[in-house]
């Protein structure tokens, strides 16, 4: 199992290229299932989750070719098996995104239930409820959601869908399903994330009729057929935010090429309040921070909420900053019930954190000291890397397969900024 060895204490300086967003690429790969024409996606990040999604669609009979420049060519003309098996779904919950498009195009689909997840129970009841409102019959059979249209129907029908909570992948499933449904669908309480907007723009390029994306009310007029398209995946705001927190924590200055400052307002506000300089420029975002953090940065309290609020996917990384900033802070997690698993590992590095329910109380310390720590989920892994970059001595981050799920060559990018970080593989990692 690969590990990352980090020798902390170096400032980060230079330029880093931000990749395409994981959370946009995954639904967009599924959107290709909606048409029998070729779809070309550019700026697709090189990640384990993308490889898993490609495996999933190939398993259905879709041809999917990826080149070294981040372009993926998909053709779902010969899709013969509208199914997502447990072996693939269990490693990536986003596989549930296949359900809406398969059902809309073929009238039937079989997708495994995702099962447990480290950061919380994460059910898919809202996905099922919404698709049922569009006329689908869905039963759970041997761990699979088996969905079909009632006898005599060939298309889903438009509906008004009001979900109990804001759900990102739920909104994406409904968008894709509604694009091919008969009549109008109104999504109320829709997620507003930039990845939703990017998916809607891709669907519009395919001939879908969508209005209101980027707001909580999305209106879709279904069409009979969608055609192929070419689309570039939006930049990954979470990757950009992670690098911002890393630079903030170590001190230094970096230009994040392709990052979109307007997608990260809540995080940037907190970084500025902490004492960093952040500026949106034409082709990216620049961040400057004075080290050592304890002398120059002030810890910030925040609470995670849906977009445009502070993203839950940035909670752990910002906590890594609070841990070595001056003062006390309160971090409240409102989206997932079990998303503080990085806390115990940070404590092993010398952090002062106390968790009570949804709230973590952090008391900044002057210095962390390197240790072996265990990555437990994707964003927790990133937070441990940030902590390792500022800790004194060596930090070994174990189980970085979590990191590889969602970060495109993170250690190479950090090395480009001057970090002392290396991947141990094979015998070296044993
Ligand atoms: C997406 C992102 C993930 C991010 C999360 C919240 C992708 C591939 N993943 O995950 O990185 O952390 O949004 O911003 O885009 N819920 C239910 N029933 C449902 C659906 C959701 O109870 O049917 C609950 C979840 O358990 C959670 C909350 O609603 O507590 C929000 O979840 P949701 O927005 O659906 O997260 P994902 O789409 O899975």
């Amino acid at each position: 199992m690969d590990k990352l060895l980090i020798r902390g204490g170096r400032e980060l300086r230079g330029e880093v290229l931000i990749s395409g967003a994981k959370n946009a690429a995954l639904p967009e790969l599924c959107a290709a299932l909606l048409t029998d024409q070729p779809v070309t996606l550019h700026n697709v990040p090189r990640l384990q989750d993308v490889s898993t999604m490609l495996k999933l669609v190939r398993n259905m009979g879709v041809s999917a070719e990826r080149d070294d420049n981040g372009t993926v060519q998909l053709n779902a003309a010969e899709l013969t098996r509208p199914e997502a098996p447990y072996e693939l779904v269990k490693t990536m919950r986003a596989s549930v995104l296949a359900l809406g498009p398969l059902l809309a195009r073929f009238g039937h689909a079989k997708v495994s239930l995702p099962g447990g997840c480290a950061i919380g129970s994460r059910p898919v009841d809202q996905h099922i409820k919404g698709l049922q409102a569009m006329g689908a019959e869905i039963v759970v059979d041997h761990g699979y959601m088996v969905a079909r249209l009632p006898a005599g129907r060939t298309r889903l029908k438009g509906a008004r869908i009001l979900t109990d909570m804001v759900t990102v992948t739920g909104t994406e499933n409904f968008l894709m399903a509604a694009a091919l449904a008969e009549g109008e669908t109104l999504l109320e309480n829709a997620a507003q994330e930039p990845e939703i907007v990017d998916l809607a723009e891709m669907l519009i390029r395919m001939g879908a009729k969508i209005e209101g994306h980027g707001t909580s009310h999305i209106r879709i007029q279904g069409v009979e057929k969608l055609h192929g398209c070419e689309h570039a995946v939006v930049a990954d705001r979470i990757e950009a935010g992670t690098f911002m927190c890393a630079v903030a924590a170590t001190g230094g200055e970096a230009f994040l090429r392709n990052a979109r400052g307007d997608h990260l307002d809540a995080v940037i506000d907190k970084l500025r309040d902490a004492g960093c300089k952040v500026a949106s420029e034409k082709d990216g975002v620049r961040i400057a921070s004075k080290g050592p953090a304890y002398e120059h940065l002030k810890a910030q309290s925040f609470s995670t909420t849906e977009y445009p609020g502070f993203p839950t996917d940035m909670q752990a990384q910002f906590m890594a900053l609070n841990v070595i900033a001056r003062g006390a802070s309160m971090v409240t997690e409102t989206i997932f019930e079990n998303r503080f698993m990085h806390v115990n590992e940070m404590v092993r590095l010398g952090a002062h954190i106390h968790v009570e329910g949804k709230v973590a109380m952090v008391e900044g310390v002057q210095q962390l000291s390197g240790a072996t720590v265990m990555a437990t989920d994707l964003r927790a892994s990133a937070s441990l890397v940030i902590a390792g970059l500022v800790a004194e001595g060596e930090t070994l981050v174990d189980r970085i397969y979590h990191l590889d799920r969602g970060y495109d060559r993170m250690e190479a990018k950090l090395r480009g900024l001057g970090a002392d970080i290396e991947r141990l593989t094979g015998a070296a990692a044993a």
Side-chain angles (χ1 to χ4, degrees):
M1 230 182 283
D2 290 7
K3 295 178 178 142
L4 284 179
L5 177 63
I6 307 166
R7 291 177 196 91
R10 292 205 184 183
E11 284 197 341
L12 297 181
R13 271 185 200 281
E15 180 172 318
V16 62
L17 182 67
I18 298 304
S19 299
K22 166 177 99 64
N23 286 355
L26 297 177
E28 288 167 2
L29 290 167
C30 287
L33 305 176
L34 288 161
T35 175
D36 59 3
Q37 294 183 12
V39 166
T40 304
L41 279 177
H42 301 291
N43 203 31
V44 178
R46 235 191 286 177
L47 311 171
Q48 194 51 46
D49 273 10
V50 166
S51 304
T52 306
M53 191 58 94
L54 291 175
K55 223 189 257 182
L56 191 79
V57 299
R58 284 189 191 120
N59 186 60
M60 296 174 191
V62 174
S63 93
E65 299 301 328
R66 165 157 65 167
D67 72 14
D68 292 338
N69 301 318
T71 295
V72 176
Q73 314 258 13
L74 300 127
N75 191 327
E78 310 284 321
L79 197 160
T80 48
R81 219 174 310 116
E83 289 179 18
Y86 177 65
E87 294 67 48
L88 293 172
V89 177
K90 74 175 181 201
T91 64
M92 186 184 63
R93 194 189 129 79
S95 317
V96 73
L97 286 164
L99 184 62
L102 289 176
L103 189 57
R105 181 159 156 227
F106 299 98
H108 60 103
K110 191 174 158 191
V111 174
S112 170
L113 281 166
C117 163
I119 62 175
S121 64
R122 297 178 91 179
V124 289
D125 56 313
Q126 301 299 309
H127 297 243
I128 294 176
K129 179 178 135 181
L131 293 170
Q132 281 172 335
M134 297 178 80
E137 292 172 350
I138 304 179
V139 292
V140 174
D141 187 32
H142 297 290
Y144 279 77
M145 292 179 279
V146 181
R148 60 178 67 253
L149 294 179
R153 279 205 77 88
T154 53
R155 291 168 72 191
L156 288 166
K157 57 178 173 31
R160 175 175 171 265
I161 300 176
L162 174 63
T163 44
D164 294 358
M165 77 291 288
V166 177
T167 153
V168 175
T169 46
T171 303
E172 290 165 347
N173 243 333
F174 305 146
L175 258 183
M176 293 190 277
L180 280 183
E182 209 178 312
E184 181 178 280
T185 298
L186 184 61
L187 305 183
E188 315 240 36
N189 205 18
Q192 304 175 41
E193 269 70 359
E195 294 77 23
I196 305 267
V197 175
D198 202 52
L199 171 67
E201 281 168 2
M202 173 182 173
L203 293 169
I204 291 168
R205 287 205 172 100
M206 295 172 76
K209 295 193 174 143
I210 302 173
E211 283 171 12
H213 40 296
T215 75
S216 58
H217 294 262
I218 308 180
R219 197 177 285 277
I220 307 120
Q221 304 289 343
V223 296
E224 247 175 81
K225 223 171 151 38
L226 293 171
H227 50 74
C229 79
E230 205 168 327
H231 178 79
V233 179
V234 66
D236 196 318
R237 65 195 163 99
I238 304 301
E239 186 195 24
T242 301
F243 277 95
M244 284 185 199
C245 286
V247 174
T250 61
E253 181 172 343
F255 181 63
L256 315 181
R257 186 164 296 282
N258 285 353
R260 293 271 307 259
D262 56 330
H263 291 169
L264 269 166
D265 285 333
V267 175
I268 290 175
D269 275 359
K270 291 288 171 193
L271 285 168
R272 285 191 179 128
D273 290 348
C276 300
K277 285 202 173 115
V278 187
S280 276
E281 297 180 9
K282 193 169 136 272
D283 299 318
V285 176
R286 189 173 298 280
I287 173 157
S289 164
K290 281 191 187 155
Y294 193 80
E295 275 167 42
H296 296 281
L297 296 187
K298 233 172 93 207
Q300 298 298 311
S301 295
F302 62 91
S303 181
T304 63
T305 51
E306 295 87 6
Y307 190 83
F310 195 101
T312 173
D313 284 353
M314 280 300 306
Q315 179 254 105
Q317 302 91 310
F318 208 103
M319 193 190 288
L321 182 60
N322 277 346
V323 155
I324 44 107
R326 198 172 3 96
S329 59
M330 230 167 79
V331 174
T332 310
E333 172 60 53
T334 72
I335 308 288
F336 293 113
E337 72 265 30
N338 191 20
R339 211 169 191 180
F340 282 138
M341 282 176 300
H342 43 284
V343 165
N344 283 344
E345 303 301 305
M346 285 185 185
V347 167
R348 302 198 67 246
L349 297 171
H352 289 179
I353 310 170
H354 174 71
V355 174
E356 248 182 73
K358 292 172 161 194
V359 181
M361 266 94 56
V362 184
E363 180 68 47
V365 295
Q366 289 211 18
Q367 184 65 57
L368 297 176
S369 67
T372 296
V373 287
M374 193 92 83
T376 48
D377 68 62
L378 170 55
R379 306 303 171 187
S381 324
S383 74
L384 295 175
V385 171
I386 295 173
L389 290 171
V390 291
E392 177 267 315
E394 287 189 354
T395 295
L396 192 64
V397 186
D398 199 353
R399 300 207 178 157
I400 55 158
Y401 57 86
H402 290 292
L403 195 75
D404 294 334
R405 277 192 44 219
Y407 285 93
D408 189 350
R409 291 157 289 178
M410 190 192 217
E411 79 273 14
K413 291 187 183 187
L414 283 170
R415 244 191 332 266
L417 291 175
D420 186 345
I421 177 169
E422 63 179 302
R423 179 180 289 255
L424 306 181
T425 52

